[in-house]
Amino acid sequence: MTDAASVLEPLTARYTSWLELSDESTADTSDEDPDDVVLMPMVLRIERNEPPARTDLLQAAASAAIAVCLDERCRPGGEWRDAVGTWAAGRIRKVARRARGSHWSAVQSLPGHTITVGTAQVRAFLPMRLSEMPKELTRLQISGSELEPDEPESAVDGVPVLWLNPDIEMSAGKSAAQVGHASMILAALLYGTGAHGELDRWAADGFPCAVRTPDGASWRALHPGTEPAAAWRERGVAAVRDAGFTEIDPGTVTVLAQWPGGVGQFREKLTDAG
């Protein structure tokens, strides 16, 4: 697992600089050819008559995204290494589409991982160029993935918690992409700060995650503020800051990822920016 996790090294190096961006920062995409955009597709199974619980769906999405990144085929020399490594070193984008029935079955043959959590199933795929996306994915709708909010029980002890920003509204598809970013950042920081045993145990359990929405006071107390490295070392908290490509303003912190028990016992490699 440690060898595969090295594919996420660019995230560790970039983490503190992401959080230093001002709230008005925007992603400069003026040099991009849309057909050359590389992204990780995610497909959410949303059956018409039996839609999944929203929380189950988001937890499955978080686990599926990191399962692809830390697949053994992402080890140096592995067949997935170049695809995941190139994507992780650039602008990390995900796009969530919905599927049901035969369309859901059709995407299972494409390279990726399907994760089931409770009532939900999500499949995350190997990152690819938008222009090279197969028809099994391009024919799926991006819109229409909204699900009614639910009220999950308290988060399970010993499982990382991905806290959704209570002050913004995101569709289920957007939220799925954001918690996928959060699980990737957690794995990158665990690898980068020497917590390889923790990462191995998380992988052996199937990368379980709890997704919850805190109240405003709890969110503010958890937020790393201007000290992301210290928040990780002292409290095991990492943040996802959105680039503003879709739905929300650039610079918005969408998710706070909290590792169970903190990480103070781990070797400290992540240094304060500046």
Side-chain angles (χ1 to χ4, degrees):
M1 178 55 61
T2 300
D3 287 347
S6 65
V7 77
L8 297 178
E9 282 184 306
L11 297 191
T12 309
R14 297 201 314 252
Y15 177 67
T16 52
S17 63
W18 282 350
L19 289 193
E20 283 194 319
L21 298 174
S22 68
D23 290 342
E24 291 77 25
S25 296
T26 57
D28 182 6
T29 59
S30 60
D31 61 339
E32 285 187 335
D33 180 338
D35 286 341
D36 286 336
V37 169
V38 178
L39 48 76
M40 172 186 278
M42 304 176 74
V43 174
L44 320 177
R45 185 178 187 181
I46 303 179
E47 297 291 344
R48 189 186 306 277
N49 296 325
E50 295 185 39
R54 195 177 197 272
T55 296
D56 286 350
L57 190 78
L58 298 183
Q59 292 175 166
S63 299
I66 194 57
V68 170
C69 295
L70 299 191
D71 186 281
E72 287 299 309
R73 286 165 286 187
C74 291
R75 297 165 67 102
E79 60 184 294
W80 287 11
R81 179 75 177 200
D82 286 347
V84 174
T86 298
W87 173 67
R91 293 182 177 123
I92 296 177
R93 295 182 182 177
K94 298 181 179 72
V95 61
R97 298 172 183 263
R98 62 178 173 85
R100 61 173 65 99
S102 61
H103 286 180
W104 169 256
S105 299
V107 300
Q108 299 306 303
S109 62
L110 300 176
H113 277 276
T114 296
I115 298 292
T116 301
V117 175
T119 62
Q121 287 186 297
V122 174
R123 187 169 181 83
F125 300 86
L126 202 60
M128 61 186 72
R129 292 188 183 279
L130 185 60
S131 60
E132 297 171 354
M133 192 176 293
K135 67 179 186 303
E136 289 90 346
L137 292 173
T138 57
R139 68 186 179 186
L140 302 178
Q141 295 293 315
I142 296 176
S143 61
S145 62
E146 195 46 67
L147 297 166
E148 291 296 323
D150 55 349
E151 297 183 3
E153 298 178 356
S154 299
V156 179
D157 290 340
V159 171
V161 184
L162 311 180
W163 300 100
L164 298 172
N165 187 333
D167 299 323
I168 62 174
E169 292 185 7
M170 296 187 290
S171 67
K174 178 70 173 180
S175 298
Q178 296 303 296
V179 296
H181 294 343
S183 64
M184 286 179 61
I185 289 174
L186 277 181
L189 293 178
L190 288 171
Y191 175 79
T193 51
H196 300 163
E198 291 291 294
L199 192 53
D200 286 342
R201 283 188 285 274
W202 192 28
D205 291 339
F207 303 106
C209 298
V211 176
R212 299 293 186 269
T213 303
D215 57 39
S218 297
W219 173 265
R220 290 187 290 275
L222 281 168
H223 200 294
T226 60
E227 299 181 341
W232 173 250
R233 288 196 305 265
E234 297 167 10
R235 297 185 282 129
V237 174
V240 177
R241 187 165 188 155
D242 193 66
F245 294 122
T246 60
E247 292 194 24
I248 60 177
D249 294 334
T252 302
V253 174
T254 55
V255 182
L256 296 177
Q258 186 176 30
W259 188 256
V263 295
Q265 72 272 31
F266 302 147
R267 181 156 45 95
E268 297 177 1
K269 286 186 177 178
L270 189 63
T271 57
D272 289 309

